[in-house]
């Protein structure tokens, strides 16, 4: 758990200038989710089996730190993934931006490589249409692996009854993917549960290493 400690130190470094803030000025949130398949950048992380996940975030004036965890299955020793992240996000009129740093960790496995990514995400809201784009760059790769980049574009339109969500991404030297799905937030006693049905397709750049994938899966996320 040494790398997780580094995330905690990074978080404390960001929050130290605001250590005297009143507790009621901090925003604390959490989420619990489940999915019939854990899909990441078009690829299954659970060998097409279900996943359970959850996370927690602490935010102040755009600064935030958080953690998220899920079960995984790559056919190796890894049984779970833990992510730690920190960043800053803000909205200016209809534009938004988010700069973050994330550590992806597999503490129970020597087979899966931990890695870090820096990410810049931009968004624009035009009525019921939300457009987004992001660029992620690996900053550290355990065992000296390649530091790959990932570019993604997203679009979502709220039809009130439900939202139509799409994305297209390209993962350097690995492959491209796209998703199309529908989602619907449901309020229960003031809390939100977001349900989604998603189709994902992954086209591998090197079929000797990564196979093409097509998946239809459902997700549910409870935020509090």
């Amino acid at each position: 758990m040494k790398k997780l400690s580094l995330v905690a130190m990074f978080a404390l470094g960001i929050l130290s200038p605001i250590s005297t803030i009143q507790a009621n000025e901090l925003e604390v949130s959490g989420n619990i989710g489940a999915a019939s398949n854990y899909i990441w950048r078009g690829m299954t992380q659970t060998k097409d089996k279900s996943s359970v996940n959850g996370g927690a975030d602490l935010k102040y004036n755009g600064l935030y730190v958080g953690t998220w965890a899920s079960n995984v299955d790559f056919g190796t020793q890894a049984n779970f993934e833990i992510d730690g992240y920190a960043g800053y996000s803000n909205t200016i009129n209809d534009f938004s931006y988010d700069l973050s740093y994330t550590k992806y960790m597999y503490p129970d496995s020597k087979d899966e490589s931990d890695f870090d990514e820096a990410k810049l995400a931009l968004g624009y809201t035009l009525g019921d249409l939300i457009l987004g784009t992001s660029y992620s760059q690996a900053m550290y790769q355990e065992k000296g692996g390649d530091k790959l980049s990932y570019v993604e574009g997203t679009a979502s339109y709220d039809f009130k009854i439900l939202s139509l969500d799409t994305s297209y991404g390209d993962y350097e030297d690995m492959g491209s993917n796209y998703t199309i799905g529908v989602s619907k937030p449901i309020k229960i006693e003031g809390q939100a549960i977001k349900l989604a049905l998603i189709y994902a397709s992954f086209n591998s750049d090197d079929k000797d290493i990564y196979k093409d994938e097509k998946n239809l899966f459902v997700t549910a996320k409870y935020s509090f």
Side-chain angles (χ1 to χ4, degrees), residues 37-59:
N37 198 347
Y38 173 12
I39 301 294
W40 184 74
R41 298 178 181 177
M43 298 172 284
T44 180
Q45 308 294 288
T46 49
K47 296 183 70 174
D48 297 321
K49 293 179 287 189
S50 62
S51 70
V52 177
N53 56 73
D57 296 270
L58 178 66
K59 185 174 183 180

Side-chain angles (χ1 to χ4, degrees), residues 57-158:
D57 296 270
L58 178 66
K59 185 174 183 180
Y60 173 77
N61 277 354
L63 289 169
Y64 63 88
V65 293
T67 187
W68 182 87
S70 174
N71 62 292
V72 297
D73 186 353
F74 303 110
T76 63
Q77 292 179 337
N79 292 303
F80 62 96
E81 167 190 338
I82 297 177
D83 304 339
Y85 50 85
Y88 179 80
S89 64
N90 194 17
T91 299
I92 304 175
N93 296 323
D94 296 326
F95 292 89
S96 64
Y97 61 90
D98 188 336
L99 180 62
S100 62
Y101 192 92
T102 302
K103 298 188 72 69
Y104 299 87
M105 298 167 283
Y106 307 93
D108 66 336
S109 175
K110 296 180 180 179
D111 299 313
E112 298 304 320
S113 298
D114 297 352
F115 65 101
D116 300 2
E117 279 190 342
K119 178 180 179 180
L120 173 63
L122 303 173
Y124 178 68
T125 300
L126 182 62
D128 294 323
L129 176 65
I130 301 176
L131 302 175
T133 185
S134 64
Y135 175 78
S136 302
Q137 176 61 57
M139 307 301 292
Y140 163 79
Q141 181 71 50
E142 191 177 28
K143 303 175 185 177
D146 295 333
K147 298 176 182 177
L148 306 180
S149 63
Y150 180 71
V151 181
E152 185 176 64
T154 62
S156 178
Y157 191 87
D158 186 358

Side-chain angles (χ1 to χ4, degrees), residues 39 42 177-180 198-202 213-217:
I39 301 294
N177 74 89
Y178 71 86
T179 66
I180 183 168
I198 305 167
Y199 174 78
S201 176
F202 175 76
E213 296 187 36
K214 298 184 185 300
N215 290 288
L216 181 66
F217 61 104

Side-chain angles (χ1 to χ4, degrees), residues 203-219:
N203 182 35
S204 173
D205 285 346
D206 188 342
K207 293 177 173 53
D208 291 331
I209 301 177
Y210 309 104
K211 66 177 183 178
D212 292 347
E213 296 187 36
K214 298 184 185 300
N215 290 288
L216 181 66
F217 61 104
V218 294
T219 67

